[in-house]
Amino acid sequence: MDLLTLSTFAAVARHGSVSGAASELHTVQSNVTVRLKQLESDLGVPLFTRHSRGVSLTSAGARLLGYAQRLSALVIEAEAA
């Protein structure tokens, strides 16, 4: 798990879709999907429920999102310092 993967995960959570996250991150959907699948594999739990209109967080995904947001805030704080 790295910061890029966590920020990708957070972008998908914000947008509720892989395509929305890909657009925000200026990348292609396949890159976002690969990062998500690897993160889910590494953690051993599904982070999103996939449906026809996008994705929604699972309970494990909701827990991870809190950590991802805190890490992002720490990175911003460290850069400012």
Side-chain angles (χ1 to χ4, degrees), residues 8-71:
T8 302
F9 161 76
V12 173
R14 266 193 310 282
H15 290 279
S17 73
V18 171
S19 60
S23 179
E24 175 189 325
L25 300 169
H26 307 288
T27 190
V28 294
Q29 292 179 19
S30 60
N31 288 347
V32 174
T33 299
V34 166
R35 285 195 175 276
L36 288 181
K37 287 186 182 286
Q38 186 61 53
L39 182 58
E40 288 176 323
S41 176
D42 290 348
L43 296 175
V45 294
L47 300 171
F48 293 99
T49 301
R50 285 134 176 101
H51 42 80
S52 61
R53 295 193 178 261
V55 297
S56 55
L57 286 169
T58 63
S59 59
R63 283 192 308 273
L64 181 61
L65 182 58
Y67 289 105
Q69 291 169 332
R70 285 188 277 178
L71 285 168

